[in-house]
Amino acid sequence: MSGILVYSELESATLGLLTKGRELAAELGKPLAVALLGEEAVGWKDACFAHGAGQAFVANDPALDVFQAAAHAAALAQIVARAEADIILLSSTRRGRELAPRLAQKLSAGCVTDAIALSLQDGQLVVERRALGGNTISASVITSPRQIVSVMPKLFDAEPGGSGEGEVIEVALELEPSATRLVERRSKEAGAVNVEEAEVLICVGRGLADEGDLSLIQDLADALGGVVGCTRPLSHDNHWLSEDQMVGLSGKVSSPNLYIGLGLSGQIQHTVGIMDAKLIVAINSDKNAPIFRVADYGIVGDLYQVVPRLLEQLQK
Amino acid sequence: MDIIVCMKQVIDLEQLRIKPATRQPVVEGLPVLLGDFEKCALEEAVRIKEKGGGKVTVVAAGSGKLQDTIKEALAIGADEAVILTDPVFQDSDAMGSARLLAKTIAKIGAYDMILLGDGSADNYSGEIPPRLAELLGLPQVGGVREIEVLDGAVRATRDLEDALEVVEVDLPAVVAVTSELNTPRLPPLSAILKAGRKPLHVWGPDDLGIAADEVGAAASVVEVLSNLAPVQDRKGIIFEDPEEGVGKLVKALQQEGALEE
């Protein structure tokens, strides 16, 4: 029993995991395989081979039509057995977060979800994830014979490599009918604001006194070619901004070139979402606000005084 | 409808401090509380009971302080609580914790739904709901922000990255919820006073027929090598005079290449 198996319901994540898996497989001297579930995923097989997969285990079953962790975990467990895999890499999408622990339990295996780094130390896979509400990063090894890791989406970029050739293996699954029925799926209103991809991100917090003052924040974002994000109270309590704009632990994660935090204290629940920003700027009237401790530059001052002056300077 | 709500006692992360020299978190002596996501799960269970009848039982594992912490759950509206505070249970990993909860739920007996938070406030690993569902052989739905109880089934709205997915799942089922589901009530004083008189059971390994090597650190299959605050290499240049600060900031951002000159 020795091999690496990759699975995600997204093609981009599958190829990113294969790219990292290829590196680990080479160092460990293990084969690298991919599981492709459903009709659409079978179409990714050539791309998977181009990213280092030596085997593609393909399977389909009506029980997999609607996502149900029980069925998907059962399918993957059967493929894991067939592939003789001991390291299973999944993506930590919403679906992956439901799937990884269920698969782990089915295999009596240890699991680490939401991994932010994978490395090898003395031939052992070391997995890092954020812990204690984002205050710390823990590094763990899984000591059960099989190891399940779900990796944060977009952590690894897909880069082609390997021989480019591989073998397709069809697996006949034995699954129970699903206990889950799809009623409807509706796209979230495509918010015009995409904080995840922003180059410049202006976040505002409770220092904003009135919803009408958002125009001031938007003016600054426009002047810098950026977008507006916020902390949880503004989106979830006040509903001044959409939930899509909330940055932090239970919201979006962003890595802009420039982040400016306005009138927000910098609780870890928020700052965990901007830790990878290239430059962090903080403007807050409380000089003891935690945001200044993670900032590159800061101004101690009220946003209502600082932002108009900043706009003035930028327009010069 | 009989609902079991699993809750976790966590340290108050708002009060967590990091030792600057070693980057180690200081967790000893911090106050403990019930996690926010689980409170939403409990609130929902109580609302379902208030509408259609039934019983809400809370199960929680943690330190001896749970004797007090759990009273908040009873004040919010749980009818009964089972707490798992035996030292043998401490330091369980996700698999051990799920095993412990599964044995406890099996002992409680009949139920229609198990509600949990989508992740705990401390580590947010989200492992317990799927592992518990697997151990009990039940279907699961996670990331749930709306619940509607039907006859013999539950209709749940799952929050995905780019879509909301409404599914129906046959009961019994495990449902893991997000904080968008509701705003947990603040129990009135009268409810807090009454909470002390509700049944509170403390179950140990013998009550559950669980062996010492099935739970706790001994059964853990995830070994934590380190747990430290990340290295911060930010510049920390703070202008205390807002008048001058704006000009200096603009200049600095230009030098950094973040602003055009």
Side-chain angles (χ1 to χ4, degrees), chain A residues 94-95 98 102 105 109 111 113 129 132-133 136-137 139 141 143 181 183-186 188 232 236 275 277 295-298 300, chain B residues 122-123 125 127 131 134 138 140 159-162 164-166 168 170 179-180 221 223 225-228 234 236-237 239 256:
Chain A
R94 299 286 167 98
R95 295 218 192 287
E98 285 197 57
R102 184 128 197 178
Q105 193 59 44
C111 175
T113 56
R129 79 185 303 279
L132 291 177
T136 58
I137 293 174
V141 293
T143 56
R181 297 168 295 279
V183 178
E184 64 166 327
R185 184 179 288 139
R186 47 181 198 268
K188 286 188 185 170
R232 196 175 172 90
H236 287 66
M275 292 231 183
D296 292 290
Y297 298 98
V300 181
Chain B
D122 49 1
N123 287 335
S125 80
E127 285 196 56
R131 283 186 182 271
E134 176 65 24
L138 298 178
Q140 75 187 64
D159 198 341
L160 300 175
E161 282 84 354
D162 54 358
L164 294 174
E165 188 178 74
V166 184
E168 281 178 14
D170 294 335
S179 57
E180 277 74 39
V221 291
E223 185 189 340
L225 306 177
S226 67
N227 188 20
L228 300 173
R234 298 286 172 183
I237 300 170
F239 308 114
E256 295 274 3

Short mmCIF file of all heavy atoms in Angstrom, two decimals, chain A residues 94-95 98 102 105 109 111 113 129 132-133 136-137 139 141 143 181 183-186 188 232 236 275 277 295-298 300, chain B residues 122-123 125 127 131 134 138 140 159-162 164-166 168 170 179-180 221 223 225-228 234 236-237 239 256:
data_model
loop_
_atom_site.label_atom_id
_atom_site.label_comp_id
_atom_site.label_asym_id
_atom_site.label_seq_id
_atom_site.Cartn_x
_atom_site.Cartn_y
_atom_site.Cartn_z
N ARG A 94 -15.84 23.84 -0.08
CA ARG A 94 -16.93 23.51 0.84
C ARG A 94 -17.25 22.01 0.77
O ARG A 94 -17.48 21.36 1.78
CB ARG A 94 -18.18 24.32 0.51
CG ARG A 94 -17.99 25.82 0.62
CD ARG A 94 -17.92 26.28 2.05
NE ARG A 94 -17.44 27.65 2.14
CZ ARG A 94 -18.24 28.72 2.28
NH1 ARG A 94 -19.54 28.57 2.34
NH2 ARG A 94 -17.73 29.92 2.35
N ARG A 95 -17.27 21.47 -0.45
CA ARG A 95 -17.55 20.04 -0.60
C ARG A 95 -16.41 19.20 -0.04
O ARG A 95 -16.63 18.20 0.63
CB ARG A 95 -17.74 19.71 -2.07
CG ARG A 95 -18.95 20.38 -2.72
CD ARG A 95 -19.57 19.40 -3.68
NE ARG A 95 -20.58 19.97 -4.57
CZ ARG A 95 -21.79 20.33 -4.19
NH1 ARG A 95 -22.13 20.27 -2.91
NH2 ARG A 95 -22.67 20.77 -5.07
N GLU A 98 -16.45 18.62 3.60
CA GLU A 98 -17.40 17.59 4.06
C GLU A 98 -16.89 16.19 3.75
O GLU A 98 -17.16 15.23 4.47
CB GLU A 98 -18.76 17.77 3.38
CG GLU A 98 -19.57 18.92 3.91
CD GLU A 98 -21.03 18.80 3.51
OE1 GLU A 98 -21.64 17.76 3.84
OE2 GLU A 98 -21.54 19.72 2.86
N ARG A 102 -15.01 12.48 6.24
CA ARG A 102 -15.86 11.28 6.10
C ARG A 102 -15.04 10.14 5.49
O ARG A 102 -15.12 8.99 5.94
CB ARG A 102 -17.08 11.59 5.24
CG ARG A 102 -18.02 10.40 5.15
CD ARG A 102 -19.43 10.74 5.49
NE ARG A 102 -20.22 9.54 5.79
CZ ARG A 102 -21.48 9.56 6.17
NH1 ARG A 102 -22.11 10.70 6.31
NH2 ARG A 102 -22.14 8.44 6.43
N GLN A 105 -12.70 8.85 8.17
CA GLN A 105 -13.35 7.97 9.14
C GLN A 105 -13.60 6.60 8.54
O GLN A 105 -13.42 5.58 9.19
CB GLN A 105 -14.65 8.60 9.64
CG GLN A 105 -15.23 7.90 10.86
CD GLN A 105 -14.27 7.91 12.05
OE1 GLN A 105 -13.66 8.93 12.34
NE2 GLN A 105 -14.11 6.77 12.70
N ALA A 109 -8.61 6.66 9.34
CA ALA A 109 -7.37 7.39 9.13
C ALA A 109 -7.42 8.76 9.78
O ALA A 109 -8.48 9.32 10.00
CB ALA A 109 -7.12 7.55 7.62
N CYS A 111 -6.65 12.84 9.65
CA CYS A 111 -6.97 13.81 8.61
C CYS A 111 -6.54 15.20 9.07
O CYS A 111 -6.62 15.51 10.26
CB CYS A 111 -8.49 13.77 8.38
SG CYS A 111 -9.14 14.99 7.24
N THR A 113 -7.49 19.11 7.72
CA THR A 113 -8.23 19.90 6.75
C THR A 113 -7.59 21.28 6.60
O THR A 113 -6.83 21.72 7.45
CB THR A 113 -9.69 20.08 7.19
OG1 THR A 113 -9.72 20.68 8.48
CG2 THR A 113 -10.44 18.76 7.23
N ARG A 129 -1.54 23.99 9.08
CA ARG A 129 -2.85 24.65 8.96
C ARG A 129 -2.94 25.73 10.03
O ARG A 129 -2.18 25.72 11.00
CB ARG A 129 -4.00 23.65 9.12
CG ARG A 129 -4.30 23.26 10.57
CD ARG A 129 -5.35 22.18 10.69
NE ARG A 129 -6.61 22.50 10.06
CZ ARG A 129 -7.58 23.26 10.61
NH1 ARG A 129 -7.40 23.80 11.79
NH2 ARG A 129 -8.71 23.48 9.97
N LEU A 132 -6.14 27.76 16.46
CA LEU A 132 -6.51 28.74 17.49
C LEU A 132 -7.07 30.02 16.87
O LEU A 132 -6.60 31.13 17.13
CB LEU A 132 -5.32 29.05 18.40
CG LEU A 132 -4.88 27.89 19.31
CD1 LEU A 132 -3.65 28.27 20.11
CD2 LEU A 132 -6.02 27.48 20.24
N GLY A 133 -8.09 29.86 16.05
CA GLY A 133 -8.77 30.99 15.46
C GLY A 133 -7.90 31.81 14.53
O GLY A 133 -8.18 32.98 14.30
N THR A 136 -2.39 31.00 15.33
CA THR A 136 -1.18 30.19 15.20
C THR A 136 -1.23 29.34 13.93
O THR A 136 -2.27 29.21 13.30
CB THR A 136 -1.02 29.23 16.40
OG1 THR A 136 -2.18 28.40 16.47
CG2 THR A 136 -0.86 29.99 17.71
N ILE A 137 -0.07 28.79 13.60
CA ILE A 137 0.01 27.79 12.53
C ILE A 137 0.53 26.51 13.17
O ILE A 137 1.56 26.51 13.83
CB ILE A 137 0.94 28.26 11.40
CG1 ILE A 137 0.33 29.47 10.69
CG2 ILE A 137 1.21 27.13 10.41
CD1 ILE A 137 1.23 30.11 9.66
N ALA A 139 1.83 22.55 12.83
CA ALA A 139 2.44 21.59 11.92
C ALA A 139 2.20 20.21 12.49
O ALA A 139 2.48 19.98 13.68
CB ALA A 139 3.93 21.87 11.77
N VAL A 141 1.94 15.70 11.76
CA VAL A 141 2.07 14.51 10.92
C VAL A 141 0.93 13.56 11.28
O VAL A 141 0.50 13.51 12.43
CB VAL A 141 3.43 13.78 11.09
CG1 VAL A 141 4.57 14.64 10.58
CG2 VAL A 141 3.66 13.39 12.53
N THR A 143 -0.26 9.81 11.73
CA THR A 143 0.48 8.58 12.03
C THR A 143 -0.27 7.31 11.67
O THR A 143 0.25 6.21 11.84
CB THR A 143 0.85 8.53 13.53
OG1 THR A 143 -0.35 8.65 14.30
CG2 THR A 143 1.78 9.68 13.91
N ARG A 181 -31.62 14.50 -1.92
CA ARG A 181 -32.23 14.89 -3.19
C ARG A 181 -32.01 16.39 -3.40
O ARG A 181 -32.19 17.18 -2.48
CB ARG A 181 -33.73 14.59 -3.17
CG ARG A 181 -34.04 13.10 -3.04
CD ARG A 181 -35.51 12.86 -2.74
NE ARG A 181 -35.91 13.38 -1.44
CZ ARG A 181 -35.70 12.76 -0.27
NH1 ARG A 181 -35.08 11.59 -0.25
NH2 ARG A 181 -36.10 13.30 0.86
N VAL A 183 -33.06 19.89 -4.52
CA VAL A 183 -34.29 20.64 -4.76
C VAL A 183 -34.00 21.75 -5.77
O VAL A 183 -34.68 21.90 -6.77
CB VAL A 183 -34.85 21.23 -3.45
CG1 VAL A 183 -36.10 22.05 -3.71
CG2 VAL A 183 -35.12 20.11 -2.45
N GLU A 184 -33.00 22.55 -5.47
CA GLU A 184 -32.60 23.58 -6.43
C GLU A 184 -31.19 24.06 -6.13
O GLU A 184 -30.69 23.91 -5.01
CB GLU A 184 -33.57 24.77 -6.43
CG GLU A 184 -33.60 25.51 -5.11
CD GLU A 184 -34.29 26.87 -5.21
OE1 GLU A 184 -34.20 27.52 -6.26
OE2 GLU A 184 -34.90 27.28 -4.22
N ARG A 185 -30.58 24.61 -7.15
CA ARG A 185 -29.27 25.22 -6.96
C ARG A 185 -29.35 26.60 -7.59
O ARG A 185 -29.73 26.74 -8.74
CB ARG A 185 -28.19 24.39 -7.66
CG ARG A 185 -26.78 24.93 -7.41
CD ARG A 185 -25.74 24.06 -8.10
NE ARG A 185 -25.58 22.78 -7.44
CZ ARG A 185 -25.45 21.62 -8.06
NH1 ARG A 185 -25.50 21.57 -9.37
NH2 ARG A 185 -25.28 20.51 -7.38
N ARG A 186 -29.10 27.63 -6.80
CA ARG A 186 -29.16 28.97 -7.38
C ARG A 186 -27.82 29.67 -7.18
O ARG A 186 -27.24 29.64 -6.10
CB ARG A 186 -30.33 29.78 -6.82
CG ARG A 186 -30.49 29.76 -5.34
CD ARG A 186 -31.70 30.61 -4.93
NE ARG A 186 -31.63 30.95 -3.52
CZ ARG A 186 -32.18 30.22 -2.54
NH1 ARG A 186 -32.85 29.12 -2.82
NH2 ARG A 186 -32.06 30.60 -1.28
N LYS A 188 -25.17 32.44 -6.50
CA LYS A 188 -25.21 33.61 -5.66
C LYS A 188 -25.19 34.83 -6.57
O LYS A 188 -24.55 34.81 -7.61
CB LYS A 188 -23.99 33.63 -4.74
CG LYS A 188 -24.09 32.63 -3.63
CD LYS A 188 -22.96 32.81 -2.65
CE LYS A 188 -23.02 31.71 -1.61
NZ LYS A 188 -21.83 31.69 -0.77
N ARG A 232 -16.75 41.80 9.66
CA ARG A 232 -18.02 41.10 9.82
C ARG A 232 -19.20 41.98 10.29
O ARG A 232 -20.31 41.84 9.75
CB ARG A 232 -17.81 39.93 10.80
CG ARG A 232 -18.90 38.93 10.76
CD ARG A 232 -18.61 37.74 11.65
NE ARG A 232 -19.80 36.94 11.69
CZ ARG A 232 -20.08 35.96 10.85
NH1 ARG A 232 -19.21 35.64 9.92
NH2 ARG A 232 -21.20 35.31 10.91
N HIS A 236 -22.60 41.53 8.22
CA HIS A 236 -23.53 40.57 8.81
C HIS A 236 -24.46 41.18 9.85
O HIS A 236 -25.54 40.66 10.07
CB HIS A 236 -22.75 39.40 9.41
CG HIS A 236 -22.17 38.49 8.37
ND1 HIS A 236 -21.18 38.89 7.50
CD2 HIS A 236 -22.45 37.20 8.05
CE1 HIS A 236 -20.88 37.87 6.70
NE2 HIS A 236 -21.62 36.85 7.01
N MET A 275 -3.36 38.19 5.60
CA MET A 275 -1.98 37.94 6.03
C MET A 275 -1.00 37.93 4.86
O MET A 275 0.18 38.20 5.05
CB MET A 275 -1.89 36.60 6.76
CG MET A 275 -2.64 36.64 8.07
SD MET A 275 -1.61 36.04 9.39
CE MET A 275 -2.74 36.10 10.76
N ALA A 277 -1.18 39.78 2.17
CA ALA A 277 -1.11 41.05 1.44
C ALA A 277 0.35 41.50 1.38
O ALA A 277 1.11 41.31 2.32
CB ALA A 277 -1.96 42.10 2.13
N ALA A 295 0.89 45.93 10.62
CA ALA A 295 0.91 46.88 9.51
C ALA A 295 2.34 47.22 9.07
O ALA A 295 3.26 47.22 9.88
CB ALA A 295 0.18 48.15 9.91
N ASP A 296 2.48 47.50 7.78
CA ASP A 296 3.74 48.06 7.29
C ASP A 296 3.77 49.56 7.55
O ASP A 296 4.78 50.12 7.95
CB ASP A 296 3.89 47.78 5.79
CG ASP A 296 4.07 46.31 5.52
OD1 ASP A 296 5.14 45.78 5.86
OD2 ASP A 296 3.13 45.67 5.00
N TYR A 297 2.64 50.21 7.26
CA TYR A 297 2.52 51.64 7.50
C TYR A 297 1.19 51.90 8.20
O TYR A 297 0.21 51.19 7.97
CB TYR A 297 2.56 52.42 6.18
CG TYR A 297 3.87 52.25 5.44
CD1 TYR A 297 3.99 51.32 4.42
CD2 TYR A 297 4.98 53.01 5.79
CE1 TYR A 297 5.19 51.13 3.75
CE2 TYR A 297 6.19 52.84 5.14
CZ TYR A 297 6.29 51.90 4.12
OH TYR A 297 7.48 51.72 3.48
N GLY A 298 1.18 52.93 9.03
CA GLY A 298 -0.06 53.26 9.70
C GLY A 298 -0.15 54.74 9.98
O GLY A 298 0.87 55.44 10.08
N VAL A 300 -2.18 57.12 12.82
CA VAL A 300 -3.07 57.19 13.97
C VAL A 300 -3.97 58.39 13.74
O VAL A 300 -3.53 59.55 13.83
CB VAL A 300 -2.29 57.33 15.29
CG1 VAL A 300 -3.26 57.38 16.46
CG2 VAL A 300 -1.31 56.17 15.45
N ASP B 122 -12.22 27.30 17.73
CA ASP B 122 -10.76 27.34 17.89
C ASP B 122 -10.03 26.86 16.64
O ASP B 122 -9.23 27.59 16.07
CB ASP B 122 -10.32 26.58 19.16
CG ASP B 122 -10.93 25.20 19.27
OD1 ASP B 122 -11.69 24.79 18.36
OD2 ASP B 122 -10.64 24.51 20.27
N ASN B 123 -10.30 25.64 16.20
CA ASN B 123 -9.51 25.14 15.07
C ASN B 123 -10.29 25.01 13.77
O ASN B 123 -9.71 24.86 12.71
CB ASN B 123 -8.86 23.81 15.43
CG ASN B 123 -7.72 24.02 16.39
OD1 ASN B 123 -7.13 25.10 16.44
ND2 ASN B 123 -7.42 23.03 17.20
N SER B 125 -11.73 22.80 12.18
CA SER B 125 -11.33 21.73 11.26
C SER B 125 -12.54 21.12 10.56
O SER B 125 -12.41 20.57 9.47
CB SER B 125 -10.56 20.64 12.01
OG SER B 125 -11.45 19.79 12.69
N GLU B 127 -14.09 18.50 11.19
CA GLU B 127 -13.99 17.04 11.05
C GLU B 127 -15.10 16.27 11.75
O GLU B 127 -15.44 15.16 11.35
CB GLU B 127 -12.63 16.56 11.58
CG GLU B 127 -11.47 16.86 10.66
CD GLU B 127 -10.25 16.04 11.03
OE1 GLU B 127 -10.36 14.80 11.06
OE2 GLU B 127 -9.19 16.63 11.29
N ARG B 131 -17.28 12.79 10.44
CA ARG B 131 -16.82 11.56 11.11
C ARG B 131 -17.94 10.95 11.92
O ARG B 131 -18.13 9.72 11.93
CB ARG B 131 -15.62 11.87 12.01
CG ARG B 131 -14.29 12.05 11.27
CD ARG B 131 -13.15 12.21 12.26
NE ARG B 131 -11.86 12.42 11.63
CZ ARG B 131 -11.03 11.44 11.26
NH1 ARG B 131 -11.37 10.17 11.44
NH2 ARG B 131 -9.86 11.72 10.70
N GLU B 134 -20.44 9.27 9.67
CA GLU B 134 -19.92 7.98 9.17
C GLU B 134 -20.04 6.91 10.24
O GLU B 134 -20.48 5.79 9.97
CB GLU B 134 -18.46 8.16 8.74
CG GLU B 134 -17.77 6.88 8.28
CD GLU B 134 -18.36 6.29 7.01
OE1 GLU B 134 -18.98 7.04 6.22
OE2 GLU B 134 -18.23 5.06 6.81
N LEU B 138 -25.10 7.68 9.02
CA LEU B 138 -26.16 8.64 8.66
C LEU B 138 -25.72 9.53 7.51
O LEU B 138 -24.53 9.77 7.32
CB LEU B 138 -26.48 9.53 9.86
CG LEU B 138 -27.02 8.86 11.12
CD1 LEU B 138 -27.22 9.90 12.21
CD2 LEU B 138 -28.32 8.13 10.82
N GLN B 140 -25.24 13.24 5.82
CA GLN B 140 -24.82 14.51 6.42
C GLN B 140 -25.01 15.65 5.42
O GLN B 140 -24.95 15.44 4.21
CB GLN B 140 -23.34 14.45 6.81
CG GLN B 140 -22.43 14.56 5.59
CD GLN B 140 -20.97 14.33 5.87
OE1 GLN B 140 -20.56 13.25 6.28
NE2 GLN B 140 -20.15 15.35 5.62
N ASP B 159 -24.42 26.35 1.81
CA ASP B 159 -23.71 27.53 1.32
C ASP B 159 -22.43 27.08 0.61
O ASP B 159 -21.47 26.67 1.25
CB ASP B 159 -23.37 28.42 2.53
CG ASP B 159 -23.04 29.84 2.11
OD1 ASP B 159 -22.73 30.05 0.94
OD2 ASP B 159 -23.09 30.72 2.99
N LEU B 160 -22.44 27.15 -0.72
CA LEU B 160 -21.24 26.78 -1.48
C LEU B 160 -20.50 28.06 -1.90
O LEU B 160 -20.98 29.16 -1.66
CB LEU B 160 -21.62 25.97 -2.71
CG LEU B 160 -22.36 24.65 -2.41
CD1 LEU B 160 -22.80 23.99 -3.70
CD2 LEU B 160 -21.48 23.72 -1.60
N GLU B 161 -19.35 27.90 -2.54
CA GLU B 161 -18.54 29.05 -2.90
C GLU B 161 -19.33 30.02 -3.78
O GLU B 161 -19.33 31.23 -3.54
CB GLU B 161 -17.27 28.62 -3.65
CG GLU B 161 -16.18 28.07 -2.75
CD GLU B 161 -16.37 26.59 -2.41
OE1 GLU B 161 -17.41 26.02 -2.80
OE2 GLU B 161 -15.48 26.02 -1.76
N ASP B 162 -19.98 29.49 -4.81
CA ASP B 162 -20.62 30.39 -5.78
C ASP B 162 -22.11 30.13 -5.92
O ASP B 162 -22.76 30.68 -6.80
CB ASP B 162 -19.94 30.22 -7.15
CG ASP B 162 -19.93 28.76 -7.57
OD1 ASP B 162 -20.41 27.92 -6.79
OD2 ASP B 162 -19.45 28.46 -8.68
N LEU B 164 -25.98 28.64 -3.83
CA LEU B 164 -26.70 28.07 -2.69
C LEU B 164 -27.41 26.83 -3.21
O LEU B 164 -28.04 26.86 -4.26
CB LEU B 164 -27.73 29.08 -2.15
CG LEU B 164 -27.15 30.35 -1.53
CD1 LEU B 164 -28.27 31.31 -1.16
CD2 LEU B 164 -26.33 30.01 -0.29
N GLU B 165 -27.27 25.74 -2.48
CA GLU B 165 -27.82 24.48 -2.93
C GLU B 165 -28.85 24.01 -1.91
O GLU B 165 -28.52 23.87 -0.74
CB GLU B 165 -26.68 23.46 -3.05
CG GLU B 165 -27.07 22.16 -3.69
CD GLU B 165 -25.85 21.24 -3.80
OE1 GLU B 165 -25.43 20.69 -2.78
OE2 GLU B 165 -25.34 21.10 -4.92
N VAL B 166 -30.06 23.80 -2.37
CA VAL B 166 -31.11 23.34 -1.47
C VAL B 166 -31.28 21.83 -1.67
O VAL B 166 -31.51 21.38 -2.80
CB VAL B 166 -32.45 24.06 -1.75
CG1 VAL B 166 -33.50 23.64 -0.73
CG2 VAL B 166 -32.24 25.57 -1.72
N GLU B 168 -32.82 17.97 0.07
CA GLU B 168 -33.64 17.28 1.07
C GLU B 168 -32.93 16.02 1.49
O GLU B 168 -32.44 15.26 0.64
CB GLU B 168 -35.01 16.94 0.48
CG GLU B 168 -35.94 18.12 0.46
CD GLU B 168 -37.29 17.80 -0.17
OE1 GLU B 168 -37.61 16.60 -0.35
OE2 GLU B 168 -38.00 18.76 -0.49
N ASP B 170 -33.19 12.58 4.07
CA ASP B 170 -34.03 11.77 4.95
C ASP B 170 -33.48 11.81 6.37
O ASP B 170 -32.27 11.80 6.58
CB ASP B 170 -34.06 10.31 4.46
CG ASP B 170 -34.77 10.18 3.12
OD1 ASP B 170 -35.60 11.06 2.82
OD2 ASP B 170 -34.46 9.23 2.37
N SER B 179 -22.96 30.33 10.89
CA SER B 179 -23.51 31.37 11.76
C SER B 179 -24.55 32.24 11.06
O SER B 179 -25.19 33.06 11.70
CB SER B 179 -22.39 32.23 12.33
OG SER B 179 -21.65 32.79 11.27
N GLU B 180 -24.73 32.06 9.74
CA GLU B 180 -25.77 32.81 9.04
C GLU B 180 -27.17 32.28 9.37
O GLU B 180 -28.17 32.90 9.08
CB GLU B 180 -25.58 32.74 7.52
CG GLU B 180 -24.58 33.74 6.99
CD GLU B 180 -23.14 33.36 7.32
OE1 GLU B 180 -22.83 32.15 7.25
OE2 GLU B 180 -22.35 34.25 7.66
N VAL B 221 -4.18 9.87 16.15
CA VAL B 221 -3.41 9.53 14.95
C VAL B 221 -2.90 10.78 14.23
O VAL B 221 -2.42 10.71 13.11
CB VAL B 221 -4.22 8.64 13.97
CG1 VAL B 221 -4.44 7.26 14.56
CG2 VAL B 221 -5.54 9.30 13.60
N GLU B 223 -0.28 13.79 15.08
CA GLU B 223 0.69 14.27 16.05
C GLU B 223 1.07 15.71 15.71
O GLU B 223 1.56 15.99 14.61
CB GLU B 223 1.94 13.37 15.99
CG GLU B 223 2.98 13.69 17.04
CD GLU B 223 4.28 12.91 16.80
OE1 GLU B 223 4.25 11.89 16.08
OE2 GLU B 223 5.32 13.36 17.31
N LEU B 225 3.39 18.68 15.79
CA LEU B 225 4.83 18.90 16.01
C LEU B 225 5.07 20.28 16.62
O LEU B 225 5.94 20.44 17.46
CB LEU B 225 5.59 18.80 14.68
CG LEU B 225 5.40 17.53 13.86
CD1 LEU B 225 6.17 17.63 12.55
CD2 LEU B 225 5.86 16.31 14.65
N SER B 226 4.32 21.27 16.16
CA SER B 226 4.48 22.63 16.69
C SER B 226 3.20 23.40 16.45
O SER B 226 2.41 23.05 15.58
CB SER B 226 5.66 23.34 16.02
OG SER B 226 5.37 23.57 14.66
N ASN B 227 2.99 24.44 17.25
CA ASN B 227 1.81 25.30 17.10
C ASN B 227 2.21 26.70 17.55
O ASN B 227 2.15 27.03 18.73
CB ASN B 227 0.66 24.73 17.94
CG ASN B 227 -0.64 25.48 17.68
OD1 ASN B 227 -0.78 26.15 16.65
ND2 ASN B 227 -1.57 25.38 18.60
N LEU B 228 2.66 27.50 16.59
CA LEU B 228 3.25 28.79 16.92
C LEU B 228 2.62 29.91 16.10
O LEU B 228 2.13 29.66 14.98
CB LEU B 228 4.76 28.78 16.62
CG LEU B 228 5.61 27.76 17.37
CD1 LEU B 228 7.03 27.77 16.83
CD2 LEU B 228 5.60 28.05 18.86
N ARG B 234 6.51 42.57 9.17
CA ARG B 234 5.97 43.84 8.67
C ARG B 234 6.85 44.99 9.17
O ARG B 234 7.53 44.88 10.18
CB ARG B 234 4.54 44.01 9.19
CG ARG B 234 3.59 42.92 8.69
CD ARG B 234 3.23 43.12 7.23
NE ARG B 234 2.46 41.97 6.71
CZ ARG B 234 2.08 41.88 5.44
NH1 ARG B 234 2.43 42.83 4.58
NH2 ARG B 234 1.40 40.85 5.02
N GLY B 236 6.01 48.08 10.27
CA GLY B 236 5.56 48.73 11.50
C GLY B 236 5.91 50.20 11.60
O GLY B 236 6.26 50.68 12.68
N ILE B 237 5.83 50.91 10.48
CA ILE B 237 6.11 52.36 10.49
C ILE B 237 4.79 53.10 10.71
O ILE B 237 3.92 53.11 9.84
CB ILE B 237 6.77 52.81 9.17
CG1 ILE B 237 8.10 52.04 8.98
CG2 ILE B 237 6.99 54.32 9.14
CD1 ILE B 237 8.72 52.20 7.63
N PHE B 239 2.72 56.56 11.66
CA PHE B 239 2.75 58.03 11.76
C PHE B 239 1.69 58.45 12.76
O PHE B 239 0.50 58.22 12.55
CB PHE B 239 2.49 58.67 10.39
CG PHE B 239 3.39 58.14 9.30
CD1 PHE B 239 2.87 57.40 8.23
CD2 PHE B 239 4.77 58.35 9.34
CE1 PHE B 239 3.70 56.90 7.23
CE2 PHE B 239 5.60 57.85 8.34
CZ PHE B 239 5.06 57.12 7.29
N GLU B 256 7.43 52.30 -2.46
CA GLU B 256 7.20 50.86 -2.48
C GLU B 256 6.71 50.38 -3.85
O GLU B 256 6.61 49.18 -4.10
CB GLU B 256 6.12 50.47 -1.45
CG GLU B 256 6.51 50.72 0.00
CD GLU B 256 7.28 49.56 0.60
OE1 GLU B 256 7.56 48.59 -0.12
OE2 GLU B 256 7.60 49.64 1.80
#
